Amino acid sequence: DVRFVRSRLTNVPVTDSVGSFLPGLELAFDQHQQSGIIATDGYGRPIGDPFAIKSRPDGGRIAPMFQPGGIDQATVIGRVVYMRAGAGVAAFEMAATGGARQGTQRNRQLWVRVDKTDPTGEARAVGFVMNIGGGKAARHGTIAPNIALGARVSEPRQADEGGRRGSAPDWVVRSTGVAIMADRSLKVHDPLTGRLLWERQRLPAVGELIGDDDFLCICPPAGRGAVVLSMADGRIVRTLDLPASERRLLTSGRHILAVQPTDGAADRNAAGGLESSDAGGARRVRLDRIDPLDGQRQPLGAYHGESRASTAGDGRVAVVEPSGDLSLLDVDAARVVFRTRLSDMPAGLEHLQVLSWNGSYLVLVGRGETPAEQKQLERIGAIGPLPGMPGRDLPQLVTGSLWAVDGVSGEMLWPVPATILRHSLQSQGGSQLPVLLFARSIQAAREPERQRLSVLCIDKRTGQAVYVDDRFNGRSITRPDMIVIGCGISGDPATHTISLSQARRDVPDLQLEFTGAPTAPRPPYQASATRSSAAADPLVEIEFWIKKALTIPLPF
């Protein structure tokens, strides 16, 4: 039962989904029993049986090899999942969407292709190489979190690092071809059969490989001498200079979202980073959408240097400024979808995380804690994120505010934002469920030998807390054998229920049932025992929810 192993799973990021038939698909590896890769749908239900990457008939079950540069993402086209293992790529046809009987169905391996020039390629294809190194700032639809747009970027980089044998290869998966580049050689395979379509060698050292159905672009780390190739036959279409990797904030398809100063001042950073007017990076910066095919730049607005950016679904980026101004950008369409202002924006923007759900966006903004809040938390005990497994990104503890925003108009969907006090959003698992799960560990001062599991479930439709418990199931989150115990979430659309499990067989699940019955109007969750200064007048909130009541059906 996947709920009993949820706490020891190491996630494999699923990015660049192109026409996926499996919304909310997540892939993870069971660290404890090494039984294979476990696939779950957007409700947290298993899809098929665990599966392994095998390149030989006698290939054993999957086994992780922790080293820099391993599997660091998977891509979905329709019902086919592509995973990179070292210098090889494997394709699997998934059984179907998740459900009660899906664990008995099989996920079918379609093909595996291994680069024979890579001395570790065969081992990586049979095994499972987990990436334990840090990620790049721009990586196929992801943004390095919580870095101010105007801050100087100073990550070390050498122009000849990309493409070396043994370094992590880069790849692009599209319906017209699966392209993988390693050691300055680019190979494109047929997506259905894995057959080699064409190969080109002696290309520039790659810092990043991006592309769409028609064109590929090899982006060197320094940006100079980028090469655009035809996906159909590998012919060189053009060469051009692009922004250095530090300025490439995000890529979507073949498009690049780049950041640069607005005043055109000389850049004194030899690595190609931004020059700020002061230590806080307060200079305004501009975001441009660049198309390598024609080299054109489409401006997408200027922003305060202390703004934060976050991905907000495929090809979309949210930018929040210290003033509370929120801009949603569509990178592929080179347009601003909307601009709005977050109500009751807290001072001290330090964190931004944006999740899309059911035509809306959940915007979580973190800030610094006040001395009074820190004193209040000290009385509770030592608070930390849930312990993680190797290769898993640890969720960050956040104090701040949470808004729900309409995905078309930017209208605020709650009367006031919910507030969070040193809690950790669990963004992995159940992305289609109607609740947000926050979880953390608490080591109370009076029980220093025990760690308690604290959970908070917030309704995405209303911002209200549907479950709060600082002593979930009344148990410690570590067992005597020191295996870490976490918290899992899954849902059943047929019964309109959500289950919270502590991933232990000796404690029952907690089940939440959505009945559709009317409830008394309540404000969004406020972390403090006293009302937040951001909270509206109670009568205004009641009027707000009376107007909204008829438009909030069962969530799933």
Side-chain angles (χ1 to χ4, degrees):
D1 192 333
V2 70
R3 67 194 180 104
F4 295 122
V5 299
R6 206 177 296 275
S7 65
R8 60 177 184 251
L9 296 182
T10 297
N11 296 308
V12 179
V14 180
T15 60
D16 290 339
S17 298
V18 183
S20 172
F21 294 165
L22 304 169
L25 172 71
E26 292 196 352
L27 302 174
F29 177 73
D30 182 357
Q31 287 288 82
H32 183 56
Q33 295 186 357
Q34 299 185 2
S35 56
I37 298 171
I38 296 173
T40 54
D41 67 6
Y43 297 115
R45 303 173 301 175
I47 300 177
D49 59 343
F51 58 93
I53 297 177
K54 299 179 181 180
S55 63
R56 304 187 307 262
D58 61 342
R61 296 299 288 180
I62 199 163
M65 294 177 286
F66 294 100
Q67 56 183 279
I71 290 184
D72 62 355
Q73 63 178 205
T75 296
V76 187
I77 298 181
R79 216 169 70 195
V80 179
V81 173
Y82 300 86
M83 300 180 66
R84 182 174 65 77
V89 172
F92 300 88
E93 182 184 27
M94 306 306 293
T97 55
R101 299 177 57 191
Q102 295 307 317
T104 63
Q105 300 187 26
R106 298 194 61 81
N107 298 308
R108 183 168 65 100
Q109 178 176 294
L110 297 179
W111 52 266
V112 174
R113 292 294 177 267
V114 180
D115 186 351
K116 300 299 183 182
T117 65
D118 183 353
T120 65
E122 183 71 9
R124 292 186 180 194
V126 175
F128 183 80
V129 186
M130 291 305 304
N131 187 2
I132 60 175
K136 291 181 285 188
R139 178 69 185 179
H140 299 309
T142 62
I143 293 178
N146 304 319
I147 298 177
L149 293 183
R152 183 192 301 270
V153 179
S154 58
E155 73 175 49
R157 169 180 52 79
Q158 297 180 9
D160 62 348
E161 281 186 352
R164 293 183 303 157
R165 180 171 299 174
S167 64
D170 214 339
W171 70 328
V172 167
V173 179
R174 308 296 295 189
S175 60
T176 52
V178 178
I180 183 166
M181 185 168 182
D183 201 20
R184 303 171 72 103
S185 176
L186 178 65
K187 296 180 180 180
V188 176
H189 300 269
D190 182 272
L192 291 179
T193 66
R195 177 176 60 89
L196 181 66
L197 299 178
W198 57 266
E199 179 180 2
R200 195 173 189 107
Q201 299 178 346
R202 297 182 180 180
L203 291 167
V206 67
E208 188 172 15
L209 179 66
I210 64 175
D212 57 14
D213 288 345
D214 302 312
F215 299 97
L216 294 169
C217 182
I218 300 169
C219 308
R224 294 185 293 273
V227 177
V228 179
L229 304 173
S230 168
M231 176 68 96
D233 53 17
R235 61 185 171 85
I236 296 179
V237 177
R238 67 169 299 180
T239 60
L240 76 163
D241 291 341
L242 294 172
S245 60
E246 292 84 355
R247 295 193 180 189
R248 299 196 291 263
L249 185 66
L250 171 137
T251 63
S252 178
R254 73 167 188 260
H255 299 125
I256 298 170
L257 185 64
V259 58
Q260 62 184 14
T262 59
D263 59 4
D267 189 352
R268 302 183 183 91
N269 187 349
L274 292 176
E275 181 68 23
S276 300
S277 58
D278 58 37
R283 169 183 294 176
R284 293 186 68 79
V285 297
R286 191 179 75 236
L287 295 180
D288 291 342
R289 200 290 301 268
I290 302 174
D291 187 344
L293 185 61
D294 54 22
Q296 289 189 358
R297 294 172 176 253
Q298 298 287 335
L300 293 178
Y303 305 90
H304 192 284
E306 281 297 305
S307 302
R308 261 57 174 184
S310 169
T311 52
D314 291 342
R316 292 196 167 189
V317 174
V319 180
V320 172
E321 302 184 66
S323 62
D325 289 338
L326 166 66
S327 301
L328 183 70
L329 314 179
D330 187 324
V331 177
D332 292 325
R335 69 184 184 96
V336 178
V337 179
F338 63 75
R339 297 188 193 276
T340 189
R341 174 158 289 194
L342 299 174
S343 58
D344 302 303
M345 177 71 178
L349 173 59
E350 295 182 353
H351 174 96
L352 174 64
Q353 191 170 357
V354 179
L355 303 176
S356 61
W357 179 75
N358 199 27
S360 63
Y361 294 99
L362 287 303
V363 181
L364 177 62
V365 168
R367 58 168 175 82
E369 296 171 355
T370 66
E373 290 170 335
Q374 292 176 349
K375 187 174 181 179
Q376 176 184 352
L377 292 168
E378 287 175 1
R379 291 196 294 267
I380 297 176
I383 299 175
L386 294 188
M389 300 298 295
R392 173 191 284 181
D393 291 333
L394 287 177
Q396 182 175 346
L397 289 173
V398 174
T399 292
S401 301
L402 175 69
W403 294 261
V405 181
D406 185 271
V408 176
S409 66
E411 175 190 3
M412 300 294 110
L413 300 180
W414 303 339
V416 294
T419 60
I420 308 299
L421 188 58
R422 203 180 292 182
H423 233 307
S424 180
L425 176 61
Q426 310 298 296
S427 58
Q428 298 290 340
S431 60
Q432 291 186 292
L433 293 174
V435 298
L436 289 175
L437 173 63
F438 292 79
R440 60 187 177 181
S441 66
I442 297 179
Q443 189 172 17
R446 63 182 179 276
E447 296 178 306
E449 74 287 353
R450 300 173 66 88
Q451 283 186 308
R452 300 291 183 181
L453 176 61
S454 167
V455 297
L456 164 66
C457 292
I458 291 182
D459 193 323
K460 294 178 181 179
R461 303 167 302 164
T462 64
Q464 298 168 2
V466 295
Y467 186 74
V468 184
D469 191 350
D470 280 342
R471 298 170 62 91
F472 183 53
N473 275 333
R475 302 264 184 163
S476 170
I477 67 171
T478 55
R479 297 195 334 217
D481 54 10
M482 298 306 294
I483 295 178
V484 174
I485 298 299
C487 183
I489 185 170
S490 60
D492 185 352
T495 60
H496 308 292
T497 57
I498 290 176
S499 296
L500 292 179
S501 66
Q502 198 173 329
R504 318 176 44 148
R505 296 183 184 273
D506 58 341
V507 291
D509 286 357
L510 173 76
Q511 193 168 84
L512 306 174
E513 180 181 0
F514 289 79
T515 64
T519 60
R522 289 185 292 125
Y525 176 74
Q526 304 297 311
S528 176
T530 59
R531 278 186 69 83
S532 166
S533 59
D537 181 88
L539 295 178
V540 175
E541 291 177 357
I542 292 174
E543 182 181 0
F544 178 92
W545 288 121
I546 288 175
K547 292 179 179 179
K548 291 281 187 180
L550 298 179
T551 66
I552 303 180
L554 277 171
F556 73 132

